[in-house]
Amino acid sequence: MMTWMPGRWLSGIAWRYSLASALAALAALAALPPPSAFAAPIAPMRIVYPAPEVSSDSRGNYIIELLRLALDKSGAAYELVPYKFRMEQSRVLLQLEKGGDIDVAWSMTT
């Protein structure tokens, strides 16, 4: 018996052999882990915020906890890090404007 395959004719034995090979290849592909298993782990997003001007100042804690809550709800991996030096508000805003080391800031008015 001759069976037509695109571009050629195969005998019944050759057709069964090619079908078995294709099924075996599909089974081997299905057994592979998903592509994401081979990807490098994604590092958490590092977010630098200004350290309080005075170490005993807890007024910024509310804002930091609010930021942490929003990031938790986003589902993204993150790391909140205070800036290594204390800065006055004007300098923090300048760093933020210039694209310096600070990623997020808040401001208060009087």
Side-chain angles (χ1 to χ4, degrees), residues 29-68:
L29 284 174
L32 288 175
S36 59
F38 299 107
I42 297 173
M45 179 174 36
R46 188 169 189 261
I47 301 170
V48 180
Y49 63 91
E53 291 179 32
V54 180
S55 60
S56 62
D57 187 3
S58 62
R59 290 178 294 172
N61 291 350
Y62 171 76
I63 296 169
I64 294 167
E65 290 305 313
L66 189 62
L67 177 61
R68 183 173 282 123

mmCIF file of all heavy atoms in Angstrom, residues 29-68:
data_model
loop_
_atom_site.group_PDB
_atom_site.id
_atom_site.type_symbol
_atom_site.label_atom_id
_atom_site.label_comp_id
_atom_site.label_asym_id
_atom_site.label_seq_id
_atom_site.Cartn_x
_atom_site.Cartn_y
_atom_site.Cartn_z
ATOM 1 N N LEU A 29 9.525 15.980 23.676
ATOM 2 C CA LEU A 29 9.368 17.423 23.892
ATOM 3 C C LEU A 29 8.434 17.705 25.059
ATOM 4 O O LEU A 29 8.670 18.623 25.845
ATOM 5 C CB LEU A 29 8.838 18.096 22.628
ATOM 6 C CG LEU A 29 9.844 18.284 21.499
ATOM 7 C CD1 LEU A 29 9.149 18.819 20.260
ATOM 8 C CD2 LEU A 29 10.953 19.218 21.924
ATOM 9 N N ALA A 30 7.372 16.915 25.165
ATOM 10 C CA ALA A 30 6.414 17.123 26.250
ATOM 11 C C ALA A 30 7.046 16.835 27.611
ATOM 12 O O ALA A 30 6.630 17.390 28.627
ATOM 13 C CB ALA A 30 5.185 16.245 26.037
ATOM 14 N N ALA A 31 8.046 15.980 27.650
ATOM 15 C CA ALA A 31 8.693 15.622 28.913
ATOM 16 C C ALA A 31 9.692 16.679 29.382
ATOM 17 O O ALA A 31 10.113 16.663 30.530
ATOM 18 C CB ALA A 31 9.405 14.274 28.768
ATOM 19 N N LEU A 32 10.067 17.594 28.492
ATOM 20 C CA LEU A 32 11.027 18.643 28.874
ATOM 21 C C LEU A 32 10.389 19.615 29.848
ATOM 22 O O LEU A 32 9.195 19.884 29.782
ATOM 23 C CB LEU A 32 11.486 19.409 27.634
ATOM 24 C CG LEU A 32 12.429 18.688 26.681
ATOM 25 C CD1 LEU A 32 12.675 19.547 25.450
ATOM 26 C CD2 LEU A 32 13.742 18.375 27.362
ATOM 27 N N PRO A 33 11.165 20.193 30.759
ATOM 28 C CA PRO A 33 10.623 21.221 31.639
ATOM 29 C C PRO A 33 10.293 22.461 30.823
ATOM 30 O O PRO A 33 10.821 22.656 29.720
ATOM 31 C CB PRO A 33 11.757 21.486 32.634
ATOM 32 C CG PRO A 33 12.975 20.895 32.050
ATOM 33 C CD PRO A 33 12.549 19.876 31.037
ATOM 34 N N PRO A 34 9.421 23.339 31.336
ATOM 35 C CA PRO A 34 9.067 24.555 30.594
ATOM 36 C C PRO A 34 10.291 25.453 30.405
ATOM 37 O O PRO A 34 11.243 25.386 31.186
ATOM 38 C CB PRO A 34 8.019 25.225 31.486
ATOM 39 C CG PRO A 34 8.243 24.646 32.837
ATOM 40 C CD PRO A 34 8.785 23.261 32.624
ATOM 41 N N PRO A 35 10.277 26.305 29.378
ATOM 42 C CA PRO A 35 11.426 27.193 29.124
ATOM 43 C C PRO A 35 11.796 28.057 30.323
ATOM 44 O O PRO A 35 12.956 28.393 30.524
ATOM 45 C CB PRO A 35 10.957 28.067 27.949
ATOM 46 C CG PRO A 35 9.890 27.274 27.284
ATOM 47 C CD PRO A 35 9.249 26.439 28.361
ATOM 48 N N SER A 36 10.814 28.411 31.147
ATOM 49 C CA SER A 36 11.114 29.253 32.307
ATOM 50 C C SER A 36 12.036 28.545 33.300
ATOM 51 O O SER A 36 12.714 29.195 34.091
ATOM 52 C CB SER A 36 9.816 29.661 33.004
ATOM 53 O OG SER A 36 9.108 28.506 33.430
ATOM 54 N N ALA A 37 12.082 27.223 33.245
ATOM 55 C CA ALA A 37 12.960 26.485 34.158
ATOM 56 C C ALA A 37 14.433 26.701 33.807
ATOM 57 O O ALA A 37 15.303 26.530 34.648
ATOM 58 C CB ALA A 37 12.628 24.995 34.113
ATOM 59 N N PHE A 38 14.701 27.083 32.567
ATOM 60 C CA PHE A 38 16.076 27.300 32.131
ATOM 61 C C PHE A 38 16.505 28.751 32.291
ATOM 62 O O PHE A 38 17.668 29.063 32.175
ATOM 63 C CB PHE A 38 16.245 26.886 30.663
ATOM 64 C CG PHE A 38 15.960 25.434 30.421
ATOM 65 C CD1 PHE A 38 14.818 25.036 29.769
ATOM 66 C CD2 PHE A 38 16.839 24.457 30.871
ATOM 67 C CE1 PHE A 38 14.553 23.698 29.551
ATOM 68 C CE2 PHE A 38 16.590 23.117 30.659
ATOM 69 C CZ PHE A 38 15.440 22.733 29.989
ATOM 70 N N ALA A 39 15.564 29.639 32.536
ATOM 71 C CA ALA A 39 15.871 31.061 32.661
ATOM 72 C C ALA A 39 16.559 31.336 33.993
ATOM 73 O O ALA A 39 16.311 30.668 34.989
ATOM 74 C CB ALA A 39 14.589 31.885 32.562
ATOM 75 N N ALA A 40 17.423 32.315 33.970
ATOM 76 C CA ALA A 40 18.098 32.718 35.207
ATOM 77 C C ALA A 40 17.065 33.355 36.128
ATOM 78 O O ALA A 40 16.149 34.026 35.666
ATOM 79 C CB ALA A 40 19.198 33.720 34.890
ATOM 80 N N PRO A 41 17.183 33.149 37.423
ATOM 81 C CA PRO A 41 16.223 33.763 38.339
ATOM 82 C C PRO A 41 16.304 35.285 38.249
ATOM 83 O O PRO A 41 17.379 35.853 38.092
ATOM 84 C CB PRO A 41 16.657 33.263 39.714
ATOM 85 C CG PRO A 41 18.023 32.718 39.544
ATOM 86 C CD PRO A 41 18.208 32.383 38.095
ATOM 87 N N ILE A 42 15.170 35.908 38.340
ATOM 88 C CA ILE A 42 15.106 37.363 38.240
ATOM 89 C C ILE A 42 15.418 37.953 39.612
ATOM 90 O O ILE A 42 14.819 37.574 40.613
ATOM 91 C CB ILE A 42 13.719 37.813 37.765
ATOM 92 C CG1 ILE A 42 13.457 37.275 36.360
ATOM 93 C CG2 ILE A 42 13.597 39.322 37.801
ATOM 94 C CD1 ILE A 42 12.070 37.524 35.863
ATOM 95 N N ALA A 43 16.366 38.858 39.625
ATOM 96 C CA ALA A 43 16.746 39.514 40.879
ATOM 97 C C ALA A 43 15.610 40.435 41.317
ATOM 98 O O ALA A 43 14.927 41.030 40.478
ATOM 99 C CB ALA A 43 18.027 40.317 40.685
ATOM 100 N N PRO A 44 15.405 40.563 42.611
ATOM 101 C CA PRO A 44 14.351 41.476 43.066
ATOM 102 C C PRO A 44 14.682 42.918 42.694
ATOM 103 O O PRO A 44 15.841 43.302 42.616
ATOM 104 C CB PRO A 44 14.328 41.289 44.580
ATOM 105 C CG PRO A 44 15.608 40.624 44.929
ATOM 106 C CD PRO A 44 16.098 39.924 43.709
ATOM 107 N N MET A 45 13.637 43.696 42.445
ATOM 108 C CA MET A 45 13.794 45.104 42.116
ATOM 109 C C MET A 45 14.293 45.824 43.372
ATOM 110 O O MET A 45 13.716 45.689 44.440
ATOM 111 C CB MET A 45 12.431 45.653 41.672
ATOM 112 C CG MET A 45 12.423 47.087 41.313
ATOM 113 S SD MET A 45 10.837 47.662 40.618
ATOM 114 C CE MET A 45 9.609 46.765 41.519
ATOM 115 N N ARG A 46 15.372 46.542 43.243
ATOM 116 C CA ARG A 46 15.960 47.262 44.381
ATOM 117 C C ARG A 46 15.441 48.692 44.359
ATOM 118 O O ARG A 46 15.648 49.426 43.395
ATOM 119 C CB ARG A 46 17.485 47.240 44.262
ATOM 120 C CG ARG A 46 18.188 47.785 45.457
ATOM 121 C CD ARG A 46 19.679 47.476 45.359
ATOM 122 N NE ARG A 46 20.340 47.803 46.580
ATOM 123 C CZ ARG A 46 21.015 48.936 46.775
ATOM 124 N NH1 ARG A 46 21.130 49.811 45.812
ATOM 125 N NH2 ARG A 46 21.584 49.169 47.936
ATOM 126 N N ILE A 47 14.761 49.075 45.421
ATOM 127 C CA ILE A 47 14.173 50.408 45.515
ATOM 128 C C ILE A 47 14.826 51.138 46.680
ATOM 129 O O ILE A 47 14.716 50.719 47.831
ATOM 130 C CB ILE A 47 12.651 50.328 45.716
ATOM 131 C CG1 ILE A 47 12.033 49.569 44.537
ATOM 132 C CG2 ILE A 47 12.048 51.710 45.857
ATOM 133 C CD1 ILE A 47 10.599 49.220 44.738
ATOM 134 N N VAL A 48 15.502 52.239 46.354
ATOM 135 C CA VAL A 48 16.208 53.024 47.364
ATOM 136 C C VAL A 48 15.341 54.221 47.740
ATOM 137 O O VAL A 48 14.883 54.965 46.877
ATOM 138 C CB VAL A 48 17.584 53.494 46.832
ATOM 139 C CG1 VAL A 48 18.316 54.316 47.884
ATOM 140 C CG2 VAL A 48 18.416 52.300 46.397
ATOM 141 N N TYR A 49 15.133 54.363 49.036
ATOM 142 C CA TYR A 49 14.360 55.500 49.538
ATOM 143 C C TYR A 49 15.237 56.302 50.495
ATOM 144 O O TYR A 49 16.226 55.794 51.017
ATOM 145 C CB TYR A 49 13.070 55.022 50.228
ATOM 146 C CG TYR A 49 13.287 54.173 51.451
ATOM 147 C CD1 TYR A 49 13.376 54.763 52.709
ATOM 148 C CD2 TYR A 49 13.400 52.796 51.366
ATOM 149 C CE1 TYR A 49 13.584 53.990 53.843
ATOM 150 C CE2 TYR A 49 13.594 52.019 52.494
ATOM 151 C CZ TYR A 49 13.685 52.626 53.729
ATOM 152 O OH TYR A 49 13.886 51.854 54.845
ATOM 153 N N PRO A 50 14.897 57.567 50.725
ATOM 154 C CA PRO A 50 15.743 58.393 51.596
ATOM 155 C C PRO A 50 15.654 57.955 53.050
ATOM 156 O O PRO A 50 14.567 57.668 53.561
ATOM 157 C CB PRO A 50 15.189 59.802 51.416
ATOM 158 C CG PRO A 50 13.827 59.633 50.856
ATOM 159 C CD PRO A 50 13.797 58.322 50.137
ATOM 160 N N ALA A 51 16.797 57.879 53.693
ATOM 161 C CA ALA A 51 16.838 57.604 55.133
ATOM 162 C C ALA A 51 16.309 58.837 55.857
ATOM 163 O O ALA A 51 16.426 59.956 55.356
ATOM 164 C CB ALA A 51 18.269 57.304 55.556
ATOM 165 N N PRO A 52 15.721 58.661 57.028
ATOM 166 C CA PRO A 52 15.217 59.850 57.753
ATOM 167 C C PRO A 52 16.364 60.796 58.108
ATOM 168 O O PRO A 52 17.498 60.368 58.316
ATOM 169 C CB PRO A 52 14.566 59.258 59.012
ATOM 170 C CG PRO A 52 15.046 57.858 59.112
ATOM 171 C CD PRO A 52 15.492 57.430 57.759
ATOM 172 N N GLU A 53 16.052 62.088 58.152
ATOM 173 C CA GLU A 53 17.073 63.087 58.476
ATOM 174 C C GLU A 53 17.628 62.882 59.877
ATOM 175 O O GLU A 53 18.796 63.115 60.138
ATOM 176 C CB GLU A 53 16.493 64.494 58.351
ATOM 177 C CG GLU A 53 16.178 64.889 56.927
ATOM 178 C CD GLU A 53 15.578 66.281 56.835
ATOM 179 O OE1 GLU A 53 15.930 67.150 57.654
ATOM 180 O OE2 GLU A 53 14.756 66.480 55.940
ATOM 181 N N VAL A 54 16.774 62.423 60.784
ATOM 182 C CA VAL A 54 17.169 62.151 62.166
ATOM 183 C C VAL A 54 16.799 60.699 62.450
ATOM 184 O O VAL A 54 15.691 60.268 62.142
ATOM 185 C CB VAL A 54 16.432 63.098 63.153
ATOM 186 C CG1 VAL A 54 16.834 62.817 64.587
ATOM 187 C CG2 VAL A 54 16.677 64.540 62.790
ATOM 188 N N SER A 55 17.718 59.942 63.034
ATOM 189 C CA SER A 55 17.473 58.507 63.227
ATOM 190 C C SER A 55 16.269 58.211 64.108
ATOM 191 O O SER A 55 15.615 57.191 63.953
ATOM 192 C CB SER A 55 18.717 57.833 63.792
ATOM 193 O OG SER A 55 19.052 58.407 65.033
ATOM 194 N N SER A 56 15.950 59.111 65.033
ATOM 195 C CA SER A 56 14.807 58.883 65.924
ATOM 196 C C SER A 56 13.483 59.326 65.308
ATOM 197 O O SER A 56 12.436 59.170 65.923
ATOM 198 C CB SER A 56 15.035 59.594 67.255
ATOM 199 O OG SER A 56 15.124 60.992 67.028
ATOM 200 N N ASP A 57 13.513 59.882 64.093
ATOM 201 C CA ASP A 57 12.299 60.380 63.425
ATOM 202 C C ASP A 57 11.519 59.211 62.826
ATOM 203 O O ASP A 57 12.003 58.536 61.926
ATOM 204 C CB ASP A 57 12.695 61.385 62.339
ATOM 205 C CG ASP A 57 11.496 62.080 61.727
ATOM 206 O OD1 ASP A 57 10.368 61.838 62.181
ATOM 207 O OD2 ASP A 57 11.705 62.871 60.794
ATOM 208 N N SER A 58 10.330 58.985 63.341
ATOM 209 C CA SER A 58 9.520 57.863 62.847
ATOM 210 C C SER A 58 8.382 58.318 61.934
ATOM 211 O O SER A 58 7.549 57.510 61.547
ATOM 212 C CB SER A 58 8.951 57.081 64.035
ATOM 213 O OG SER A 58 8.110 57.912 64.803
ATOM 214 N N ARG A 59 8.366 59.602 61.554
ATOM 215 C CA ARG A 59 7.279 60.104 60.701
ATOM 216 C C ARG A 59 7.253 59.424 59.332
ATOM 217 O O ARG A 59 6.206 59.266 58.744
ATOM 218 C CB ARG A 59 7.406 61.615 60.511
ATOM 219 C CG ARG A 59 7.101 62.392 61.770
ATOM 220 C CD ARG A 59 7.289 63.855 61.541
ATOM 221 N NE ARG A 59 8.719 64.119 61.290
ATOM 222 C CZ ARG A 59 9.204 65.288 60.907
ATOM 223 N NH1 ARG A 59 8.397 66.297 60.707
ATOM 224 N NH2 ARG A 59 10.488 65.442 60.717
ATOM 225 N N GLY A 60 8.403 58.988 58.840
ATOM 226 C CA GLY A 60 8.458 58.350 57.525
ATOM 227 C C GLY A 60 8.051 56.888 57.539
ATOM 228 O O GLY A 60 7.843 56.290 56.485
ATOM 229 N N ASN A 61 7.921 56.296 58.737
ATOM 230 C CA ASN A 61 7.576 54.879 58.814
ATOM 231 C C ASN A 61 6.240 54.567 58.135
ATOM 232 O O ASN A 61 6.094 53.534 57.481
ATOM 233 C CB ASN A 61 7.527 54.404 60.264
ATOM 234 C CG ASN A 61 8.904 54.378 60.890
ATOM 235 O OD1 ASN A 61 9.917 54.544 60.204
ATOM 236 N ND2 ASN A 61 8.946 54.205 62.197
ATOM 237 N N TYR A 62 5.253 55.443 58.304
ATOM 238 C CA TYR A 62 3.942 55.221 57.688
ATOM 239 C C TYR A 62 4.072 55.128 56.173
ATOM 240 O O TYR A 62 3.517 54.232 55.543
ATOM 241 C CB TYR A 62 2.973 56.340 58.077
ATOM 242 C CG TYR A 62 1.680 56.279 57.312
ATOM 243 C CD1 TYR A 62 0.713 55.337 57.635
ATOM 244 C CD2 TYR A 62 1.436 57.144 56.247
ATOM 245 C CE1 TYR A 62 -0.473 55.265 56.922
ATOM 246 C CE2 TYR A 62 0.263 57.076 55.526
ATOM 247 C CZ TYR A 62 -0.689 56.135 55.868
ATOM 248 O OH TYR A 62 -1.859 56.064 55.150
ATOM 249 N N ILE A 63 4.832 56.046 55.594
ATOM 250 C CA ILE A 63 4.982 56.083 54.145
ATOM 251 C C ILE A 63 5.741 54.853 53.647
ATOM 252 O O ILE A 63 5.386 54.256 52.628
ATOM 253 C CB ILE A 63 5.674 57.391 53.703
ATOM 254 C CG1 ILE A 63 4.758 58.560 54.065
ATOM 255 C CG2 ILE A 63 5.997 57.374 52.233
ATOM 256 C CD1 ILE A 63 5.363 59.898 53.938
ATOM 257 N N ILE A 64 6.762 54.451 54.365
ATOM 258 C CA ILE A 64 7.531 53.261 53.974
ATOM 259 C C ILE A 64 6.654 52.013 54.049
ATOM 260 O O ILE A 64 6.681 51.168 53.159
ATOM 261 C CB ILE A 64 8.800 53.125 54.839
ATOM 262 C CG1 ILE A 64 9.747 54.287 54.558
ATOM 263 C CG2 ILE A 64 9.485 51.791 54.587
ATOM 264 C CD1 ILE A 64 10.864 54.432 55.553
ATOM 265 N N GLU A 65 5.846 51.912 55.107
ATOM 266 C CA GLU A 65 4.942 50.758 55.226
ATOM 267 C C GLU A 65 3.866 50.787 54.135
ATOM 268 O O GLU A 65 3.474 49.745 53.619
ATOM 269 C CB GLU A 65 4.300 50.710 56.614
ATOM 270 C CG GLU A 65 5.277 50.358 57.712
ATOM 271 C CD GLU A 65 6.018 49.051 57.433
ATOM 272 O OE1 GLU A 65 5.377 48.054 57.066
ATOM 273 O OE2 GLU A 65 7.253 49.039 57.582
ATOM 274 N N LEU A 66 3.401 51.974 53.771
ATOM 275 C CA LEU A 66 2.433 52.110 52.684
ATOM 276 C C LEU A 66 3.059 51.675 51.353
ATOM 277 O O LEU A 66 2.431 50.946 50.563
ATOM 278 C CB LEU A 66 1.944 53.560 52.604
ATOM 279 C CG LEU A 66 0.789 53.847 51.675
ATOM 280 C CD1 LEU A 66 -0.447 53.088 52.105
ATOM 281 C CD2 LEU A 66 0.510 55.347 51.650
ATOM 282 N N LEU A 67 4.292 52.085 51.120
ATOM 283 C CA LEU A 67 5.028 51.670 49.920
ATOM 284 C C LEU A 67 5.218 50.152 49.907
ATOM 285 O O LEU A 67 5.013 49.488 48.897
ATOM 286 C CB LEU A 67 6.374 52.387 49.860
ATOM 287 C CG LEU A 67 7.306 52.021 48.708
ATOM 288 C CD1 LEU A 67 6.671 52.330 47.370
ATOM 289 C CD2 LEU A 67 8.624 52.759 48.854
ATOM 290 N N ARG A 68 5.594 49.607 51.060
ATOM 291 C CA ARG A 68 5.780 48.150 51.169
ATOM 292 C C ARG A 68 4.467 47.404 50.876
ATOM 293 O O ARG A 68 4.458 46.393 50.167
ATOM 294 C CB ARG A 68 6.308 47.807 52.563
ATOM 295 C CG ARG A 68 6.594 46.333 52.748
ATOM 296 C CD ARG A 68 7.271 46.040 54.069
ATOM 297 N NE ARG A 68 8.689 46.401 53.934
ATOM 298 C CZ ARG A 68 9.343 47.262 54.699
ATOM 299 N NH1 ARG A 68 8.723 47.869 55.677
ATOM 300 N NH2 ARG A 68 10.610 47.529 54.506
#
